[in-house]
Amino acid sequence: MLTQVIPAAESSSGQRCHRILIVDDDPIARGNYLRFLRADGPRSYTAVEAGTARDGIRLLLEETFDCLVLDYQLPGTNGLAVLESLRVSNSGGPDIPVIMMTGHGSEQVAVAAMKLGVADYLPKEGLTAGAFQRAMANAVDIYRLRNALRHRNERLGQLNDELTLKTSELQRFYQTVSHELKTPLTAVREFVSLVRDGVAGETERQEFLAHALNGCDLMALQVNELLEVARCDADRLPLTLRAVQIRKCCEFSLAAVRHLAIAKDIEVSVTLAPSLPMALADEARVIQVLTNLLTNAIKFTGPGGRVDVRAMPAAGAPDRIIVEVQDTGCGIAAAHIPHLCERLFQVPESHQSASEGGLGLGLYIAKELVERQGGALTIDSTPGIGSIFRFSLPSEVGQTRTSAAA
Amino acid sequence: MTSILVVDDDPLVGLALKVRLESLGYVVSLARNCAEAESSLNDRWPELLLTDINMPGCDGIELARRVRAHDRGRQLPVVFITASMDPQLRTRVREAGAVGFLGKPYTAQELADMVSGALATRTGSTSG
């Protein structure tokens, strides 16, 4: 037995050095192959030699090679048997090219070797350096390309799986959305036809038409939510970041939800920290986020409850502003909190029917809007006591300082 | 007077169904969920159950299963009404013993035909 590492001549082309395993009981033959490999100008090889089939197989299983040079005639066995046994022990054989060398080749051996997947089959007799080098270069290149192809195929398979998953998610999304849109549509359609069919008396007629109008408004709201989500997903949300007064945003949002609060006798207060810096944000989007959070807070707070809006510089991070909306509502079970900002998520216990609320996209949109302005949205909640929805925004002060430093 | 129990978690759709069915001469009780539906059954057994499918907690199919487990419920025709597009739903409602399946939004005519058709299966099975 003989194993020996022979460093091949240095490659000038900077190509990777290939590791070759030579299995041949004839030291002269092994010497020839080593010489041929070393003499290959543009390519660089390292070789490991094995004088017996057993050593060759052990090395193949333990180490990694780029090509196997295998003698057909081995003591007590032959190259085909070696390939067969490798196939069994390694389920499909070592995934490297094999060049089989033969002293007195027969056509049957060549055919059998090809069937076992050898890359090439060379006669030892009259073997030239050029022929050996060409065979080696071809075998190594073909296997490298084949592996690259296999990796690419695997990656394509993965991408395909991901796309299939995305498609089925999208299908579920559309199913839910169409269900949620059809519910107010059903109410609108039926109340209008009840009036048309003369089923309603004068007072009922007014009531039914009011229901129909509310249904239309709800559908308009849902369609807007959908468009907003589509814009978020397509990354087509135009944001104009400039100095924004949080006080002004609070006033606008409060005006938008005042009628909801009055209807449920909910008191809404706003407390701003003294000398609160301006935020660097998109004013319309901040108002949208705040209105969204306020609507949610009022929706899930019982009559006579409170909703408090507070804004302050972030503790320990003066370049950030924190805005929080706290309610005395029903609160959210801890298990639901991580899912609150997912598209279409509705807390199962909220018993909110389609004609009462949006599509379950409001918080998803709020989170996207906050994040696109460089902030983060977090939620704290205690069931039975209430929730705090909190978002951060970069302050204008922090931003000027950063750009001045840069 | 033929009575119908209508179950829908959406109060407006429920109200619209009630008004329409009353205009067609039926007596209608309205429930917003399974619990309300079951307590309504304790007061009065209807001749027909018309229920929404997608409801939080216990859905319409589960409600039908519970009702049919009663001795009196075995003969009760059930019509499902849904806005869902789920293609597997038709198989599921058939397995739940539905005699009718109405998609939202519905027309007054479709509702009237579905209800009278469902009630006819009941009279047929009682007399036959």
Side-chain angles (χ1 to χ4, degrees):
Chain A
M1 190 227 82
L2 175 74
T3 20
Q4 194 185 342
V5 179
I6 313 265
E10 292 241 331
S11 155
S12 55
S13 71
Q15 266 197 339
R16 192 170 84 78
C17 175
H18 292 105
R19 276 192 100 217
I20 312 298
L21 175 64
I22 298 170
V23 182
D24 198 314
D25 58 315
D26 175 7
I28 297 167
R30 292 201 304 269
N32 280 340
Y33 307 150
L34 287 173
R35 211 163 43 182
F36 295 156
L37 290 177
R38 219 175 288 146
D40 194 334
R43 290 178 181 257
S44 132
Y45 298 98
T46 342
V48 176
E49 297 176 56
T52 64
R54 243 188 76 204
D55 284 334
I57 290 169
R58 183 180 54 76
L59 280 163
L60 273 174
L61 298 180
E62 285 171 0
E63 297 178 28
T64 313
F65 296 96
D66 298 302
C67 185
L68 165 66
V69 178
L70 179 63
D71 189 19
Y72 173 70
Q73 204 64 58
L74 289 162
T77 181
N78 66 48
L80 293 179
V82 170
L83 287 182
E84 287 280 11
S85 71
L86 280 171
R87 233 222 261 256
V88 174
S89 61
N90 206 13
S91 68
D95 194 26
I96 57 165
V98 178
I99 297 174
M100 187 161 289
M101 310 301 301
T102 171
H104 32 78
S106 79
E107 211 166 300
Q108 283 99 322
V109 173
V111 169
M114 289 302 171
K115 275 188 180 161
L116 285 170
V118 304
D120 216 332
Y121 183 83
L122 294 177
K124 282 177 157 178
E125 196 119 349
L127 182 67
T128 63
F132 189 80
Q133 287 163 357
R134 267 195 305 280
M136 179 60 70
N138 282 340
V140 168
D141 285 352
I142 287 167
Y143 267 72
R144 187 173 47 77
L145 290 172
R146 212 185 66 174
N147 278 343
L149 195 64
R150 207 187 52 209
H151 283 135
R152 188 149 310 174
N153 276 339
E154 279 167 9
R155 182 78 195 111
L156 278 174
Q158 275 172 7
L159 285 174
N160 193 40
D161 291 348
E162 284 167 24
L163 276 176
T164 311
L165 194 74
K166 280 250 163 67
T167 310
S168 71
E169 267 173 19
L170 215 56
Q171 236 158 10
R172 264 203 310 280
F173 178 78
Y174 282 119
Q175 273 188 12
T176 312
V177 165
S178 73
H179 177 268
E180 297 298 298
L181 278 169
K182 274 180 176 180
T183 303
L185 180 65
T186 303
V188 169
R189 197 190 183 289
E190 190 55 1
F191 281 117
V192 170
S193 30
L194 283 169
V195 171
R196 187 203 55 186
D197 297 349
V199 170
E202 184 49 40
T203 38
E204 280 175 318
R205 192 149 59 215
Q206 291 306 316
E207 185 200 327
F208 290 178
L209 289 175
H211 289 327
L213 271 179
N214 286 341
C216 288
D217 291 347
L218 176 65
M219 283 189 282
L221 193 86
Q222 291 177 329
V223 170
N224 280 338
E225 279 191 346
L226 276 178
L227 284 175
E228 202 67 8
V229 167
R231 278 193 211 114
C232 283
D233 288 355
D235 220 351
R236 281 199 198 125
L237 210 69
L239 290 176
T240 319
L241 302 185
R242 54 166 71 104
V244 171
Q245 260 190 338
I246 295 296
R247 175 185 301 280
K248 194 176 155 200
C249 297
C250 289
E251 281 166 8
F252 267 87
S253 301
L254 221 60
V257 300
R258 184 156 292 133
H259 67 287
L260 298 174
I262 289 169
K264 289 180 81 178
D265 189 25
I266 288 171
E267 195 189 324
V268 184
S269 79
V270 177
T271 315
L272 303 175
S275 69
L276 182 71
M278 306 260 264
L280 187 78
D282 183 308
E283 190 178 77
R285 298 305 184 181
V286 176
I287 292 170
Q288 192 182 351
V289 170
L290 252 174
T291 309
N292 210 316
L293 296 183
L294 278 168
T295 311
N296 239 3
I298 293 168
K299 193 193 286 176
F300 293 106
T301 298
R306 291 187 55 83
V307 173
D308 296 304
V309 182
R310 283 182 292 267
M312 67 221 88
D319 57 339
R320 298 190 83 69
I321 295 172
I322 303 285
V323 183
E324 51 185 40
V325 177
Q326 180 169 18
D327 63 52
T328 58
C330 49
I332 308 144
H336 296 318
I337 291 180
H339 303 291
L340 278 182
C341 295
E342 285 172 11
R343 289 154 152 211
L344 303 176
F345 181 81
Q346 310 256 14
V347 174
E349 292 83 38
S350 74
H351 293 292
Q352 216 204 143
S353 71
S355 74
E356 286 172 318
L359 288 169
L361 294 171
L363 281 178
Y364 171 77
I365 294 168
K367 183 170 184 276
E368 289 285 314
L369 288 177
V370 166
E371 286 175 359
R372 272 153 214 254
Q373 294 176 84
L377 177 75
T378 55
I379 301 157
D380 275 333
S381 189
T382 316
I385 294 196
S387 311
I388 305 177
F389 287 76
R390 192 179 284 127
F391 65 93
S392 62
L393 287 172
S395 85
E396 197 229 0
V397 179
Q399 225 51 36
T400 2
R401 201 177 291 151
T402 320
S403 50
Chain B
M1 290 278 261
T2 313
S3 76
I4 301 175
L5 173 59
V6 172
V7 190
D8 200 307
D9 66 322
D10 190 275
L12 287 185
V13 174
L15 177 63
L17 281 166
K18 182 175 152 74
V19 173
R20 175 65 74 185
L21 290 169
E22 281 172 351
S23 82
L24 294 169
Y26 299 108
V27 175
V28 179
S29 8
L30 199 53
R32 279 194 64 171
N33 51 51
C34 292
E36 281 183 27
E38 284 175 297
S39 82
S40 158
L41 288 176
N42 287 334
D43 296 338
R44 169 178 195 166
W45 271 90
E47 269 83 36
L48 175 73
L49 171 64
L50 176 68
T51 179
D52 185 20
I53 296 180
N54 280 40
M55 295 186 289
C58 156
D59 71 2
I61 292 176
E62 171 62 22
L63 174 66
R65 223 171 262 136
R66 290 187 197 172
V67 170
R68 287 181 161 268
H70 283 268
D71 275 349
R72 301 182 61 184
R74 219 165 287 145
Q75 299 292 326
L76 183 70
V78 180
V79 170
F80 289 101
I81 176 165
T82 183
S84 171
M85 303 274 283
D86 185 351
Q88 281 157 7
L89 217 50
R90 275 179 185 272
T91 327
R92 283 186 60 213
V93 297
R94 212 174 297 129
E95 283 164 5
V99 296
F101 186 81
L102 191 60
K104 287 180 190 172
Y106 55 88
T107 66
Q109 194 60 51
E110 284 168 350
L111 178 68
D113 291 349
M114 183 59 73
V115 166
S116 60
L119 287 166
T121 64
R122 177 195 55 112
T123 349
S125 69
T126 330
S127 63

